[in-house]
Amino acid sequence: MIARSLLLLTALLATSVGAASAQTRDDVIAPPVLRGSVTISGDIVRIGDIIDNAGSAAQIAIYRAPDLGTTGSLQVAQVLSTLRAHQVIGVDTRDLKQISVTRLARTLEAKDIVAQIARTLERRNGLGNAANLSLTFDRDPGDIQLDASNTGSLQPASVRYEPRNSRFDVTFEISNETGTASTKLRFTGTAIETVEAAVLVRNVERNEVLKSSDVLVERRPKAEVGSDAATRDRAVGMQARKQLPAGQALRVADLAKPDLVLRDQNVTLIYETPGIYITVRGKAQDSGTEGDVVSVMNLQSKRTVSGVVTGRGQVTISVATPRPAPVSDATSSRFGAAEPAAPAPVAVANVSSVVAKTE
């Protein structure tokens, strides 16, 4: 009986000691420790940002944060003095001399802003595709830094475009994850629709044929060029219809196929009919490109005839073969089927050569 009472007492004492030891461990507060590198998202630095185990002092603001997207430094001696003012002592500095503080930010790049504005103005009040819009800003937007909490996309809140002066006024809203009011960004300037056009790099005379080195490609206002802007592929090798200055954007109406026959040029005049091919020398009275009808003087007969330009220095005259006269029914029934009349010969005065085609 006595032995059993002693064992029970011993167990109770052991339990009491263990509980006391555990309570002592729980009551021990870990000392505050400085952090060597800090990243924050707000505009102020709090004690809890730079110290582990700051306890109830963690939410006390002590410094202004660096600018958005930048990194600053705090001298440890200065930090300790500030902490003591707020009754935070016994800080383990870990032999640090300074603390690095980086402020997070969301960066909106200028090119993305421009692209978003163009998409917002696309096909508004007569404008074309966003890819063809040229924007000029009253103030260069540059890259914009926003608080990291602004995680929303650029949403148009107000959009105005005036075709008479090409002015735009666009305001975007960006929502944030803190639930506070959205951030607003406003941009103003001009928006002009452009097209790719072939542009002359030198003065070009009338009837001059354009070479590859004469033309480059630029984007020009659509209002300047119109709807018939000439592309580079369509300009090279074409002939100028009139004198054109350097720097001018070419239109289709400014160009023509190059002349294959020039006025006062000696040409080959070709008379052609089924079975006969005759060439003579001639002198062009007009200039013309392929398919044009020009006048040519036959240098042997001194007669002027009209023909179609069919090649460089060549004009062709197609001579129609006369059709046979119809045979009356009376003649056919009385004498039988009549023989078809032979085609009348084509007379060409003073031909230089005659070539019979073999059928």
Side-chain angles (χ1 to χ4, degrees):
M1 186 69 179
I2 296 175
R4 184 180 300 175
S5 299
L6 290 174
L7 290 174
L8 179 59
L9 180 60
T10 301
L12 290 174
L13 289 174
T15 302
S16 299
V17 172
S21 300
Q23 184 176 1
T24 301
R25 286 195 299 270
D26 292 340
D27 290 342
V28 173
I29 299 175
V33 180
L34 278 182
R35 296 172 179 168
S37 179
V38 178
T39 300
I40 62 174
S41 58
D43 56 356
I44 58 175
V45 179
R46 303 176 188 274
I47 291 178
D49 293 326
I50 62 175
I51 289 184
D52 290 324
N53 308 320
S56 60
Q59 296 303 314
I60 298 175
I62 52 176
Y63 296 113
R64 185 180 67 84
D67 292 337
L68 288 166
T70 64
T71 298
S73 61
L74 296 171
Q75 299 301 316
V76 170
Q78 178 187 2
V79 171
L80 292 177
S81 176
T82 302
L83 292 176
R84 282 194 295 269
H86 295 282
Q87 289 75 49
V88 180
I89 59 177
V91 178
D92 182 1
T93 64
R94 298 188 298 158
D95 295 328
L96 295 173
K97 300 302 181 183
Q98 62 181 18
I99 301 171
S100 173
V101 181
T102 300
R103 185 176 179 184
L104 297 176
R106 177 186 177 186
T107 302
L108 298 178
E109 295 186 2
K111 62 181 181 62
D112 295 329
I113 295 173
V114 173
Q116 183 62 28
I117 294 175
R119 286 192 292 268
T120 302
L121 295 174
E122 185 175 44
R123 303 191 180 284
R124 182 177 292 269
N125 293 345
L127 288 176
N129 294 333
N132 295 330
L133 300 184
S134 175
L135 304 182
T136 302
F137 292 85
D138 295 334
R139 294 180 60 186
D140 183 8
D143 293 344
I144 297 178
Q145 300 279 357
L146 298 177
D147 194 283
S149 63
N150 292 284
T151 57
S153 59
L154 287 169
Q155 294 295 329
S158 173
V159 182
R160 292 197 297 273
Y161 175 72
E162 178 51 61
R164 290 179 300 175
N165 54 17
S166 303
R167 295 284 303 172
F168 71 81
D169 187 336
V170 177
T171 299
F172 293 112
E173 285 188 352
I174 305 174
S175 62
N176 58 69
E177 58 189 16
T178 63
T180 57
S182 299
T183 298
K184 292 188 177 182
L185 299 175
R186 183 185 178 193
F187 304 94
T188 60
T190 57
I192 299 175
E193 185 173 2
T194 64
V195 295
E196 280 194 351
V199 179
L200 292 174
V201 299
R202 65 178 182 86
N203 296 331
V204 173
E205 299 299 322
R206 181 176 181 272
N207 294 330
E208 190 172 354
V209 177
L210 299 180
K211 301 185 295 295
S212 178
S213 59
D214 297 332
V215 180
L216 54 80
V217 177
E218 291 182 358
R219 296 203 71 90
R220 290 293 181 89
K222 185 177 180 180
E224 171 190 330
V225 182
S227 58
D228 65 338
T231 62
R232 189 176 191 280
D233 291 342
R234 294 191 61 182
V236 174
M238 299 294 280
Q239 180 174 291
R241 292 182 181 271
K242 59 183 179 180
Q243 189 178 49
L244 300 170
Q248 177 168 321
L250 296 172
R251 302 184 182 188
V252 173
D254 295 330
L255 307 172
K257 292 181 180 179
D259 288 337
L260 299 179
V261 169
L262 301 178
R263 179 182 175 87
D264 295 330
Q265 176 188 2
N266 289 332
V267 298
T268 299
L269 189 58
I270 301 171
Y271 290 87
E272 190 171 11
T273 190
I276 300 176
Y277 183 88
I278 304 172
T279 62
V280 297
R281 291 181 298 110
K283 186 174 185 179
Q285 306 297 295
D286 307 303
S287 297
T289 188
E290 185 176 6
D292 287 349
V293 176
V294 296
S295 296
V296 180
M297 175 185 288
N298 185 323
L299 293 179
Q300 295 184 10
S301 67
K302 304 303 180 184
R303 295 180 56 188
T304 299
V305 295
S306 295
V308 177
V309 178
T310 54
R312 187 168 298 280
Q314 293 184 348
V315 178
T316 299
I317 300 174
S318 297
V319 181
T321 303
R323 299 180 62 183
V327 179
S328 66
D329 292 343
T331 304
S332 300
S333 60
R334 184 174 180 180
F335 298 102
E339 292 292 331
V346 178
V348 180
N350 300 322
V351 299
S352 60
S353 64
V354 179
V355 179
K357 289 184 178 179
T358 59
E359 296 296 323

PDB file of all heavy atoms in Angstrom, residues 38-59:
ATOM      1  N   VAL A  38      15.217  42.433 -49.228  1.00  0.00           N
ATOM      2  CA  VAL A  38      13.775  42.564 -49.018  1.00  0.00           C
ATOM      3  C   VAL A  38      13.106  42.908 -50.338  1.00  0.00           C
ATOM      4  O   VAL A  38      13.617  43.737 -51.102  1.00  0.00           O
ATOM      5  CB  VAL A  38      13.469  43.666 -47.983  1.00  0.00           C
ATOM      6  CG1 VAL A  38      11.971  43.840 -47.813  1.00  0.00           C
ATOM      7  CG2 VAL A  38      14.138  43.357 -46.662  1.00  0.00           C
ATOM      8  N   THR A  39      11.965  42.282 -50.621  1.00  0.00           N
ATOM      9  CA  THR A  39      11.147  42.607 -51.790  1.00  0.00           C
ATOM     10  C   THR A  39       9.758  42.987 -51.310  1.00  0.00           C
ATOM     11  O   THR A  39       9.112  42.221 -50.593  1.00  0.00           O
ATOM     12  CB  THR A  39      11.035  41.407 -52.748  1.00  0.00           C
ATOM     13  OG1 THR A  39      12.351  41.043 -53.195  1.00  0.00           O
ATOM     14  CG2 THR A  39      10.191  41.752 -53.954  1.00  0.00           C
ATOM     15  N   ILE A  40       9.303  44.171 -51.725  1.00  0.00           N
ATOM     16  CA  ILE A  40       7.992  44.647 -51.301  1.00  0.00           C
ATOM     17  C   ILE A  40       7.169  45.059 -52.509  1.00  0.00           C
ATOM     18  O   ILE A  40       7.715  45.323 -53.596  1.00  0.00           O
ATOM     19  CB  ILE A  40       8.114  45.835 -50.318  1.00  0.00           C
ATOM     20  CG1 ILE A  40       8.801  47.008 -51.013  1.00  0.00           C
ATOM     21  CG2 ILE A  40       8.868  45.421 -49.070  1.00  0.00           C
ATOM     22  CD1 ILE A  40       8.828  48.257 -50.174  1.00  0.00           C
ATOM     23  N   SER A  41       5.856  45.123 -52.333  1.00  0.00           N
ATOM     24  CA  SER A  41       4.970  45.503 -53.435  1.00  0.00           C
ATOM     25  C   SER A  41       4.281  46.832 -53.194  1.00  0.00           C
ATOM     26  O   SER A  41       3.713  47.422 -54.117  1.00  0.00           O
ATOM     27  CB  SER A  41       3.902  44.422 -53.654  1.00  0.00           C
ATOM     28  OG  SER A  41       3.143  44.219 -52.477  1.00  0.00           O
ATOM     29  N   GLY A  42       4.313  47.343 -51.948  1.00  0.00           N
ATOM     30  CA  GLY A  42       3.655  48.599 -51.638  1.00  0.00           C
ATOM     31  C   GLY A  42       4.577  49.786 -51.723  1.00  0.00           C
ATOM     32  O   GLY A  42       5.731  49.688 -52.145  1.00  0.00           O
ATOM     33  N   ASP A  43       4.048  50.948 -51.259  1.00  0.00           N
ATOM     34  CA  ASP A  43       4.842  52.179 -51.346  1.00  0.00           C
ATOM     35  C   ASP A  43       5.517  52.544 -50.028  1.00  0.00           C
ATOM     36  O   ASP A  43       6.144  53.599 -49.926  1.00  0.00           O
ATOM     37  CB  ASP A  43       3.965  53.339 -51.819  1.00  0.00           C
ATOM     38  CG  ASP A  43       2.744  53.543 -50.924  1.00  0.00           C
ATOM     39  OD1 ASP A  43       2.559  52.749 -50.002  1.00  0.00           O
ATOM     40  OD2 ASP A  43       1.981  54.499 -51.178  1.00  0.00           O
ATOM     41  N   ILE A  44       5.396  51.695 -48.994  1.00  0.00           N
ATOM     42  CA  ILE A  44       6.087  51.952 -47.741  1.00  0.00           C
ATOM     43  C   ILE A  44       6.762  50.665 -47.261  1.00  0.00           C
ATOM     44  O   ILE A  44       6.365  49.564 -47.636  1.00  0.00           O
ATOM     45  CB  ILE A  44       5.129  52.471 -46.638  1.00  0.00           C
ATOM     46  CG1 ILE A  44       3.994  51.466 -46.403  1.00  0.00           C
ATOM     47  CG2 ILE A  44       4.583  53.845 -46.980  1.00  0.00           C
ATOM     48  CD1 ILE A  44       3.083  51.858 -45.251  1.00  0.00           C
ATOM     49  N   VAL A  45       7.809  50.862 -46.432  1.00  0.00           N
ATOM     50  CA  VAL A  45       8.533  49.733 -45.830  1.00  0.00           C
ATOM     51  C   VAL A  45       8.129  49.656 -44.363  1.00  0.00           C
ATOM     52  O   VAL A  45       8.220  50.660 -43.628  1.00  0.00           O
ATOM     53  CB  VAL A  45      10.056  49.928 -45.958  1.00  0.00           C
ATOM     54  CG1 VAL A  45      10.787  48.754 -45.310  1.00  0.00           C
ATOM     55  CG2 VAL A  45      10.454  50.059 -47.423  1.00  0.00           C
ATOM     56  N   ARG A  46       7.686  48.491 -43.929  1.00  0.00           N
ATOM     57  CA  ARG A  46       7.265  48.279 -42.549  1.00  0.00           C
ATOM     58  C   ARG A  46       8.351  47.478 -41.813  1.00  0.00           C
ATOM     59  O   ARG A  46       9.195  46.832 -42.429  1.00  0.00           O
ATOM     60  CB  ARG A  46       5.932  47.549 -42.488  1.00  0.00           C
ATOM     61  CG  ARG A  46       4.819  48.278 -43.248  1.00  0.00           C
ATOM     62  CD  ARG A  46       3.523  47.482 -43.245  1.00  0.00           C
ATOM     63  NE  ARG A  46       2.538  48.085 -44.132  1.00  0.00           N
ATOM     64  CZ  ARG A  46       1.708  49.061 -43.770  1.00  0.00           C
ATOM     65  NH1 ARG A  46       1.745  49.527 -42.525  1.00  0.00           N
ATOM     66  NH2 ARG A  46       0.848  49.557 -44.639  1.00  0.00           N
ATOM     67  N   ILE A  47       8.280  47.513 -40.474  1.00  0.00           N
ATOM     68  CA  ILE A  47       9.266  46.783 -39.671  1.00  0.00           C
ATOM     69  C   ILE A  47       9.244  45.299 -40.014  1.00  0.00           C
ATOM     70  O   ILE A  47      10.288  44.649 -40.132  1.00  0.00           O
ATOM     71  CB  ILE A  47       9.008  47.006 -38.166  1.00  0.00           C
ATOM     72  CG1 ILE A  47       9.333  48.462 -37.807  1.00  0.00           C
ATOM     73  CG2 ILE A  47       9.836  46.042 -37.316  1.00  0.00           C
ATOM     74  CD1 ILE A  47       9.073  48.805 -36.347  1.00  0.00           C
ATOM     75  N   GLY A  48       8.046  44.753 -40.212  1.00  0.00           N
ATOM     76  CA  GLY A  48       7.942  43.330 -40.543  1.00  0.00           C
ATOM     77  C   GLY A  48       8.528  42.972 -41.888  1.00  0.00           C
ATOM     78  O   GLY A  48       8.767  41.784 -42.168  1.00  0.00           O
ATOM     79  N   ASP A  49       8.771  43.980 -42.761  1.00  0.00           N
ATOM     80  CA  ASP A  49       9.383  43.705 -44.064  1.00  0.00           C
ATOM     81  C   ASP A  49      10.882  43.428 -43.933  1.00  0.00           C
ATOM     82  O   ASP A  49      11.448  42.663 -44.713  1.00  0.00           O
ATOM     83  CB  ASP A  49       9.172  44.887 -45.018  1.00  0.00           C
ATOM     84  CG  ASP A  49       7.714  45.075 -45.398  1.00  0.00           C
ATOM     85  OD1 ASP A  49       6.999  44.059 -45.506  1.00  0.00           O
ATOM     86  OD2 ASP A  49       7.292  46.234 -45.589  1.00  0.00           O
ATOM     87  N   ILE A  50      11.519  44.079 -42.956  1.00  0.00           N
ATOM     88  CA  ILE A  50      12.981  43.968 -42.868  1.00  0.00           C
ATOM     89  C   ILE A  50      13.443  43.098 -41.694  1.00  0.00           C
ATOM     90  O   ILE A  50      14.639  42.831 -41.569  1.00  0.00           O
ATOM     91  CB  ILE A  50      13.633  45.364 -42.764  1.00  0.00           C
ATOM     92  CG1 ILE A  50      13.180  46.078 -41.493  1.00  0.00           C
ATOM     93  CG2 ILE A  50      13.303  46.197 -43.990  1.00  0.00           C
ATOM     94  CD1 ILE A  50      13.885  47.408 -41.280  1.00  0.00           C
ATOM     95  N   ILE A  51      12.500  42.679 -40.829  1.00  0.00           N
ATOM     96  CA  ILE A  51      12.884  41.896 -39.646  1.00  0.00           C
ATOM     97  C   ILE A  51      11.990  40.671 -39.515  1.00  0.00           C
ATOM     98  O   ILE A  51      10.769  40.766 -39.633  1.00  0.00           O
ATOM     99  CB  ILE A  51      12.777  42.757 -38.362  1.00  0.00           C
ATOM    100  CG1 ILE A  51      13.892  43.799 -38.341  1.00  0.00           C
ATOM    101  CG2 ILE A  51      12.838  41.900 -37.114  1.00  0.00           C
ATOM    102  CD1 ILE A  51      13.913  44.609 -37.075  1.00  0.00           C
ATOM    103  N   ASP A  52      12.618  39.546 -39.292  1.00  0.00           N
ATOM    104  CA  ASP A  52      11.882  38.346 -38.897  1.00  0.00           C
ATOM    105  C   ASP A  52      11.590  38.420 -37.395  1.00  0.00           C
ATOM    106  O   ASP A  52      12.393  38.983 -36.620  1.00  0.00           O
ATOM    107  CB  ASP A  52      12.707  37.090 -39.202  1.00  0.00           C
ATOM    108  CG  ASP A  52      12.819  36.825 -40.698  1.00  0.00           C
ATOM    109  OD1 ASP A  52      11.834  37.079 -41.414  1.00  0.00           O
ATOM    110  OD2 ASP A  52      13.898  36.390 -41.141  1.00  0.00           O
ATOM    111  N   ASN A  53      10.464  37.857 -36.990  1.00  0.00           N
ATOM    112  CA  ASN A  53      10.071  37.816 -35.575  1.00  0.00           C
ATOM    113  C   ASN A  53       9.879  39.219 -35.011  1.00  0.00           C
ATOM    114  O   ASN A  53      10.326  39.535 -33.909  1.00  0.00           O
ATOM    115  CB  ASN A  53      11.113  37.063 -34.731  1.00  0.00           C
ATOM    116  CG  ASN A  53      11.430  35.692 -35.303  1.00  0.00           C
ATOM    117  OD1 ASN A  53      10.528  34.993 -35.773  1.00  0.00           O
ATOM    118  ND2 ASN A  53      12.689  35.310 -35.278  1.00  0.00           N
ATOM    119  N   ALA A  54       9.203  40.087 -35.818  1.00  0.00           N
ATOM    120  CA  ALA A  54       8.993  41.467 -35.374  1.00  0.00           C
ATOM    121  C   ALA A  54       7.854  41.583 -34.381  1.00  0.00           C
ATOM    122  O   ALA A  54       7.703  42.633 -33.729  1.00  0.00           O
ATOM    123  CB  ALA A  54       8.730  42.367 -36.580  1.00  0.00           C
ATOM    124  N   GLY A  55       7.053  40.552 -34.236  1.00  0.00           N
ATOM    125  CA  GLY A  55       5.955  40.583 -33.273  1.00  0.00           C
ATOM    126  C   GLY A  55       4.925  41.637 -33.593  1.00  0.00           C
ATOM    127  O   GLY A  55       4.591  41.894 -34.745  1.00  0.00           O
ATOM    128  N   SER A  56       4.429  42.303 -32.556  1.00  0.00           N
ATOM    129  CA  SER A  56       3.356  43.291 -32.719  1.00  0.00           C
ATOM    130  C   SER A  56       3.814  44.549 -33.455  1.00  0.00           C
ATOM    131  O   SER A  56       2.992  45.346 -33.915  1.00  0.00           O
ATOM    132  CB  SER A  56       2.802  43.684 -31.343  1.00  0.00           C
ATOM    133  OG  SER A  56       3.838  44.243 -30.540  1.00  0.00           O
ATOM    134  N   ALA A  57       5.122  44.733 -33.607  1.00  0.00           N
ATOM    135  CA  ALA A  57       5.641  45.918 -34.301  1.00  0.00           C
ATOM    136  C   ALA A  57       5.727  45.726 -35.810  1.00  0.00           C
ATOM    137  O   ALA A  57       6.121  46.646 -36.536  1.00  0.00           O
ATOM    138  CB  ALA A  57       7.021  46.282 -33.748  1.00  0.00           C
ATOM    139  N   ALA A  58       5.345  44.568 -36.311  1.00  0.00           N
ATOM    140  CA  ALA A  58       5.552  44.244 -37.728  1.00  0.00           C
ATOM    141  C   ALA A  58       4.867  45.220 -38.673  1.00  0.00           C
ATOM    142  O   ALA A  58       5.385  45.525 -39.750  1.00  0.00           O
ATOM    143  CB  ALA A  58       5.070  42.817 -38.004  1.00  0.00           C
ATOM    144  N   GLN A  59       3.698  45.780 -38.290  1.00  0.00           N
ATOM    145  CA  GLN A  59       2.938  46.635 -39.206  1.00  0.00           C
ATOM    146  C   GLN A  59       3.306  48.109 -39.119  1.00  0.00           C
ATOM    147  O   GLN A  59       2.714  48.940 -39.813  1.00  0.00           O
ATOM    148  CB  GLN A  59       1.444  46.466 -38.920  1.00  0.00           C
ATOM    149  CG  GLN A  59       0.909  45.069 -39.183  1.00  0.00           C
ATOM    150  CD  GLN A  59       1.170  44.638 -40.621  1.00  0.00           C
ATOM    151  OE1 GLN A  59       0.931  45.396 -41.562  1.00  0.00           O
ATOM    152  NE2 GLN A  59       1.685  43.415 -40.790  1.00  0.00           N
TER     153      GLN A  59
END
